[in-house]
Amino acid sequence: MINIIVCVKQTTDPEAPPCSFKIDSSANRVIFPAGIPPVISTFDEYAMEAALRIKDKVGGKITALSLGVNLLRDVVKKTLSMGADELVLLEDPAFADGDSWSTAYALSMAIKKIGDYDLILCGRQAVDWDSGQVGSGIAEILGLPSVTVARKVEIVEGKARVERVIPDGYELIEMSLPGVVTLGNEHAAPRYPNVRSIMAAKRKEPIVWKPADIGVDPAMIGSRGRRVKLTRLFQSARYTKCEMVSADTPEEAARKLVAKLRANKVI
Amino acid sequence: MERYQGILAYCETANGKLSPLDTELLGTGSQLATELGQSLSALLIGTDVGAIASEPLAYGASKVYVVEGPLFKDYITEIYLVGLAKVISETSPEIVLLGQTQIGRDLAPRLAFRLKTAATLDCTALTIDPATKRMLMTKPVFGGNAMAIQMCEVSPQIVTLRSKAFSPPVKDSSRQGEIIKISVAIDPASTRTKFLERKTEAVSGIKLEEAKVIVTGGRGIGGPEGFKQLEELAQILKGAVGASRPPCDNKWVSDNLQVGLTGKIVSPKMCIAVAVSGSSQHLSGYSGAKVIVAINKDAEANIFKVAHYGVVGDWKKVLPVFLAEVKKLVS
């Protein structure tokens, strides 16, 4: 039996077409695309899957933990429908617009309040700001060991065995518990919730904590607690003029394409 | 503030030499040092890195710190972290540069949290703000859909650099400097993580990171069989095969072939993207490609916005003829 906390973030949908991505450069903000609902950050779903696989094997309890504002219940409850036992939300305007430091600090204080944990799992990075630091930050704040960008986590004789991704394979690391592991998409794919668990998740309400509930100083969280300031957000105009090769048949187009590449000394 | 001075570049080394990314760190570090009127130091950590201790001098470092010992045989976060933190606490650099590698991206955040500062990962440009003399750090965000310029208000400023985003300096072996050994003592019994083994897959042919030509396949390839054709084309062109995320997630190809923001960063002369829709996070992986050729049945696919040559059509019909024609040319 082990207790696992999985940190998940609600983000814009990374699968949305790139043309739907817009920013308001005067305010350095992303304009949330209309009609495309947010999702749980891709790698955090892999972290959920890693937790579920451990629970399936050795038993235990999974608590999903999320931080933000306007957390859509249909989105964050996916953790419950996937199989988490509890969902804790740090939801308050004071938590908003943090950097890796202020976010990891608030999450660490919430983890302390949850108290009973053996393993903390996070996605390797959130698909919005791509910072890749919160998992390591939590480990450092709580004084725990960590392994990042894992493709597999198993519990063997009370310790975690973690396969850490390297460019040409993986390294097997043994980590004592409690500890932190961050997951990449090299891990087995997240499961789809079934109808029964989706219905059960609808009936279950998350626990919502405010800054005072986890004993944090509002000056140390969210935008006020930032150590890194965003000075500019922009889209680089990297569009090329594509020379389209067309012909009556795909085979003919292929021939023309090769001839053109040859003529332009590309091949 | 004045307590922090200079720039420290942590060079990971690979196969007993400085890696190309290490030299990019040193080149960037010396430019920043010149601009700030400060000096660049390098740090090497490993079992026998002393043998190449003078190498960073040739790339612009004026001091090289060496942390050596059997403890550093395999990479273990908590052990390397102690080494790096000790050198930083003894030398108080204003800027710490690491590579955006499996090691750099693991070390930098923990190091920053330990030193009560902040890290910025995967930077593609670094400049000095004239007013504050602090770094302006550019990095891709939102899967490469946008770029953010950030400033860290706490010292030391810790960053990781994306490979191939910064140009390497010219080597000058006549440069001299100081080599300083720093001893780091760690009780191995106190560590909570242990290295057990390393499993690697040998790559046949040319490595993705070094390939001049890359043939990438996307979701539209539909299965592992299709990748055999891509491999054939890659072989003829003396290149390597890569993939966007879906083929890796679906296990059609090895995870090692993933090109993108969280996969390999490549800089081929030519990339032939077959049935690749062109998500920003994938395109981030080969933003340095000189020529992109795209074959996709969807004329609206994002890949055509960044490609130089394109054919709208079913790759299953286009590619066999493309392959046959290329074969004729090469033979």
Side-chain angles (χ1 to χ4, degrees), chain B residues 160-196:
Chain B
T160 69
L161 275 59
R162 170 182 290 205
S163 101
K164 303 180 177 93
F166 298 84
S167 39
V170 180
K171 187 174 181 176
D172 175 2
S173 301
S174 70
R175 285 186 49 118
Q176 302 285 311
E178 204 181 340
I179 292 165
I180 302 157
K181 289 210 173 197
I182 295 199
S183 62
V184 174
I186 301 163
D187 174 10
S190 72
T191 61
R192 293 165 295 175
T193 37
K194 214 163 84 187
F195 177 90
L196 298 182

Side-chain angles (χ1 to χ4, degrees), chain B residues 6-220:
Chain B
I7 292 147
L8 181 72
Y10 166 51
C11 300
E12 279 173 35
T13 74
N15 309 316
K17 300 190 294 207
L18 292 182
S19 71
L21 181 54
D22 289 336
T23 64
E24 289 155 28
L25 294 187
L26 293 166
T28 309
S30 28
Q31 277 174 22
L32 294 170
T34 308
E35 213 166 321
L36 289 169
Q38 300 182 1
S39 64
L40 170 70
S41 306
L43 167 62
L44 302 172
I45 305 179
T47 44
D48 48 12
V49 286
I52 56 160
S54 60
E55 281 285 293
L57 300 175
Y59 291 100
S62 52
K63 274 183 196 160
V64 181
Y65 298 102
V66 177
V67 173
E68 227 174 4
L71 264 175
F72 302 102
K73 181 171 174 288
D74 299 299
Y75 174 72
I76 282 288
T77 311
E78 51 186 329
I79 293 177
Y80 270 65
L81 197 57
V82 170
L84 205 50
K86 184 169 188 206
V87 173
I88 292 172
S89 69
E90 287 185 10
T91 61
S92 300
E94 174 60 74
I95 293 170
V96 181
L97 306 175
L98 298 94
Q100 174 75 353
T101 63
Q102 290 301 330
I103 291 176
R105 70 170 133 231
D106 181 66
L107 272 177
R110 278 207 81 143
L111 185 67
F113 275 78
R114 183 159 296 185
L115 301 173
K116 309 260 180 285
T117 176
T120 298
L121 273 58
D122 204 17
C123 294
T124 55
L126 297 172
T127 55
I128 300 292
D129 176 45
T132 60
K133 299 284 173 206
R134 302 193 73 77
M135 269 194 298
L136 290 169
M137 311 169 289
T138 306
K139 67 161 277 151
V141 292
F142 289 85
N145 277 315
M147 303 297 281
I149 302 180
Q150 301 181 335
M151 191 193 280
C152 175
E153 298 183 325
V154 191
S155 297
Q157 305 163 72
I158 300 176
V159 290
T160 69
L161 275 59
R162 170 182 290 205
S163 101
K164 303 180 177 93
F166 298 84
S167 39
V170 180
K171 187 174 181 176
D172 175 2
S173 301
S174 70
R175 285 186 49 118
Q176 302 285 311
E178 204 181 340
I179 292 165
I180 302 157
K181 289 210 173 197
I182 295 199
S183 62
V184 174
I186 301 163
D187 174 10
S190 72
T191 61
R192 293 165 295 175
T193 37
K194 214 163 84 187
F195 177 90
L196 298 182
E197 61 172 329
R198 180 177 298 118
K199 286 260 165 87
T200 56
E201 265 174 49
V203 185
S204 58
I206 297 156
K207 279 176 78 175
L208 254 178
E209 296 93 321
E210 290 158 14
K212 297 273 182 283
V213 176
I214 289 178
V215 184
T216 54
R219 194 195 301 269

Side-chain angles (χ1 to χ4, degrees), chain A residues 128 130 140 148 172 240 264, chain B residues 106 114 139 142 197 307 309:
Chain A
D128 48 6
D130 289 310
E140 195 60 35
T148 60
L172 186 63
T240 52
N264 292 349
Chain B
D106 181 66
R114 183 159 296 185
K139 67 161 277 151
F142 289 85
E197 61 172 329
Y309 301 93

Side-chain angles (χ1 to χ4, degrees), chain A residues 12 15 18 21 30 42-43 46 100-101 104 124-125 127-133 136-137 139-141 143-149 161 164-176 185-186 227-235 238-245 250-251 253-255 257-258 260-262 264 266-267, chain B residues 75-77 81 102-103 105-106 109-110 113-114 116-119 121 136 139 141-143 145-154 192-201 219 237 245 249 251 255-256 258 261-262 264 270 278 280 283 287 291-293 302 304-312 317-318 321-322 325-326 329:
Chain A
T12 46
E15 299 294 328
F21 185 86
V30 171
T42 315
F43 303 111
Y46 284 90
S100 303
W101 152 250
R124 60 176 291 176
Q125 65 198 67
V127 293
D128 48 6
W129 292 98
D130 289 310
S131 297
Q133 303 191 47
S136 301
E140 195 60 35
I141 291 170
L144 303 175
S146 62
V147 180
T148 60
V149 194
R161 287 211 169 188
R164 171 180 179 272
V165 176
I166 55 172
D168 54 353
Y170 68 89
E171 291 177 346
L172 186 63
I173 308 288
E174 184 185 80
M175 180 183 78
S176 64
N185 63 297
E186 293 83 355
R227 289 173 174 173
V228 173
K229 299 279 188 270
L230 177 66
T231 58
R232 198 180 152 216
L233 184 66
F234 65 100
Q235 281 180 283
R238 211 196 116 214
Y239 293 134
T240 52
K241 195 176 165 350
C242 186
E243 245 189 85
M244 300 304 280
V245 177
E251 290 81 4
R255 265 179 223 113
L257 176 61
V258 175
K260 189 172 278 279
L261 293 176
R262 184 61 168 184
N264 292 349
V266 178
I267 294 184
Chain B
Y75 174 72
I76 282 288
T77 311
L81 197 57
Q102 290 301 330
I103 291 176
R105 70 170 133 231
D106 181 66
R110 278 207 81 143
F113 275 78
R114 183 159 296 185
K116 309 260 180 285
T117 176
L121 273 58
L136 290 169
K139 67 161 277 151
V141 292
F142 289 85
N145 277 315
M147 303 297 281
I149 302 180
Q150 301 181 335
M151 191 193 280
C152 175
E153 298 183 325
V154 191
R192 293 165 295 175
T193 37
K194 214 163 84 187
F195 177 90
L196 298 182
E197 61 172 329
R198 180 177 298 118
K199 286 260 165 87
T200 56
E201 265 174 49
R219 194 195 301 269
L237 294 169
R245 211 165 76 196
D249 284 354
K251 309 293 170 207
D255 288 324
N256 303 345
Q258 187 183 322
L261 198 66
T262 57
K264 300 250 176 358
M270 174 171 65
S280 298
L283 295 175
S287 54
V291 176
I292 298 174
V293 181
N302 196 55
F304 292 121
K305 295 210 171 79
V306 297
H308 303 85
Y309 301 93
V311 166
V312 177
K317 296 206 172 92
V318 178
V321 181
F322 186 88
E325 290 291 309
V326 172
L329 278 183

